[in-house]
Amino acid sequence: MTSAEETDWIQVQESPEFVELKRRLRRFVFPMTLAFLGWYLLYVVLADYAHGFMSTKVVGNVNVGLVFGLLQFASTFLITFLYVCHADRKLDPLAEEIREGLEGDRR
């Protein structure tokens, strides 16, 4: 193949390497999304229905609701960190291999 117009993108998408890349991505993204949404839903439900628990003082004027709210931010940063680590180890090397294979075909 000599140009991008000649690349059979359907064949690329159906290649074992690309299928494996999508599988690796989904194995991280779907469970992590479900876990985060579950965690967020727990926070919302507790805030709406467990006023006594959420208003329990932890230290000074800091209550459980505030701690859970701040943990939402912490969990977002943690998920981002975990995704970057996962991508560096599992996704990027395979994506690079696919890219090099495609660019090698054009030379």
Side-chain angles (χ1 to χ4, degrees):
M1 293 182 204
T2 58
S3 70
E5 292 81 30
E6 294 178 17
T7 301
D8 183 359
W9 294 109
I10 301 298
Q11 183 181 1
V12 172
Q13 288 178 334
E14 293 173 350
S15 71
E17 296 85 7
F18 194 79
V19 169
E20 175 64 17
L21 180 63
K22 290 190 304 185
R23 185 189 68 78
R24 290 180 187 184
L25 177 67
R26 287 183 185 132
R27 285 189 64 176
F28 180 87
V29 171
F30 289 147
M32 197 61 65
T33 300
L34 289 174
F36 180 78
L37 289 175
W39 162 237
Y40 179 72
L41 182 62
L42 173 68
Y43 173 65
V44 170
V45 168
L46 288 174
D48 196 29
Y49 295 106
H51 297 278
F53 172 69
M54 294 296 270
S55 64
T56 303
K57 302 268 186 198
V58 177
V59 175
N61 287 331
V62 177
N63 60 26
V64 173
L66 181 60
V67 171
F68 274 30
L70 292 173
L71 286 174
Q72 291 292 316
F73 289 102
S75 63
T76 301
F77 289 117
L78 176 63
I79 290 169
T80 302
F81 173 76
L82 293 174
Y83 175 77
V84 169
C85 291
H86 177 74
D88 286 346
R89 284 179 310 160
K90 302 282 186 175
L91 302 177
D92 292 347
L94 186 53
E96 182 69 18
E97 181 182 315
I98 293 168
R99 185 185 63 78
E100 287 175 355
L102 289 170
E103 289 178 351
D105 288 346
R106 293 186 193 145
R107 292 182 184 156

